[in-house]
Amino acid sequence: MFNERAFGTWPLVLTGAALFAALFMLVGLMAEGLFDGELRFTRTIGGFGLAAFSGYVFVAMRLRHEQTRSQDP
């Protein structure tokens, strides 16, 4: 699904993580508006975005580690 360019540099990883978190927070905000009838940013939505950001960075770290380990002789 991803190649090594997706996680090539840390600025690219952090940008991707921020966009991924924003996407998840947008979904949470839309769900809040759908179920409660008003759009408001809550602690749960912030936590949802933080979890998405952390997960993206964790996966990037694991993939970068695996990539460097496979390149070592």
Side-chain angles (χ1 to χ4, degrees), residues 30-44:
M30 290 187 330
E32 182 79 23
L34 179 67
F35 294 124
D36 286 348
E38 66 179 82
L39 293 176
R40 60 183 172 169
F41 189 82
T42 62
R43 183 181 273 176
T44 304

Side-chain angles (χ1 to χ4, degrees), residues 4-25:
E4 61 274 357
R5 291 184 310 165
F7 304 113
T9 63
W10 280 110
L12 187 60
V13 168
L14 294 177
T15 302
L19 291 173
F20 194 65
L23 178 66
F24 272 70
M25 287 170 53

Side-chain angles (χ1 to χ4, degrees), residues 2 7 10 13-14 16-18 20 49-67:
F2 297 108
F7 304 113
W10 280 110
V13 168
L14 294 177
F20 194 65
L50 183 62
F53 183 88
S54 300
Y56 189 97
V57 171
F58 177 74
V59 168
M61 285 178 13
R62 296 275 302 180
L63 290 175
R64 286 174 59 98
H65 178 71
E66 290 294 323
Q67 181 183 9

